[in-house]
Amino acid sequence: MPGLVRKSLDSPEETRPFEGDSGQLELVSTQEGVVGRATFLPGWKWSEHVKPIAGTDSCQAAHTGYFVSGRMKVVMDDGEEADYGPGDVAIMAPGHDAWVVGDEPCVFVDWQGFADYAKR
């Protein structure tokens, strides 16, 4: 195993577009797992732009990540809610919907839940 590994989300190994040209997910793989950067454009909503790809009623991915820019509202299936923005670290259990708040793209880097996210 190498002592140093360098990969760039600016040169992703895979890119997955969301429905309706509402953003995309860029991925790199490491020995430890997949790291992804999602760009969600204004108007993006999981239940409209990823649900048709996932085929589940709510997002079933667990996420651990960091919000680079923009704002997002996340609502769990049980009604629990949180708003996230730049600088926030988020841990989200499976079973949620989410959407961009405002007119700025939301950029989120995740090192847990994007391996199968929006995978066709």
Side-chain angles (χ1 to χ4, degrees), residues 5 36 44 47 56 59 65 88-89 91 99 101 116:
V5 174
W44 176 89
S47 55
T56 56
C59 180
D88 289 343
V89 171
I91 298 172
W99 54 89
V101 175
D116 294 319

Side-chain angles (χ1 to χ4, degrees), residues 34-66:
V34 173
V35 178
R37 176 178 61 195
T39 301
F40 306 101
L41 298 179
W44 176 89
K45 187 172 186 178
W46 185 91
S47 55
E48 294 175 19
H49 300 103
V50 180
K51 180 178 179 175
I53 301 167
T56 56
D57 288 336
S58 59
C59 180
Q60 295 303 305
H63 302 285
T64 301
Y66 175 78

Side-chain angles (χ1 to χ4, degrees), residues 1 13 20-21 25-26 37 39 43 60 62 70 80 94 96 106 114:
M1 175 164 84
E13 295 165 358
D21 294 323
L25 173 60
E26 298 155 316
R37 176 178 61 195
T39 301
Q60 295 303 305
E80 181 181 4
H96 56 270
C106 181
F114 280 164

Side-chain angles (χ1 to χ4, degrees), residues 43-47 71-75 97-101:
W44 176 89
K45 187 172 186 178
W46 185 91
S47 55
R71 302 206 62 78
M72 182 175 282
K73 173 90 163 189
V74 179
V75 178
D97 194 3
W99 54 89
V100 172
V101 175

Side-chain angles (χ1 to χ4, degrees), residues 16-41:
R16 299 178 190 161
F18 304 136
E19 295 286 310
D21 294 323
S22 60
Q24 65 183 11
L25 173 60
E26 298 155 316
L27 300 162
V28 294
S29 295
T30 71
Q31 189 171 3
E32 304 302 319
V34 173
V35 178
R37 176 178 61 195
T39 301
F40 306 101
L41 298 179

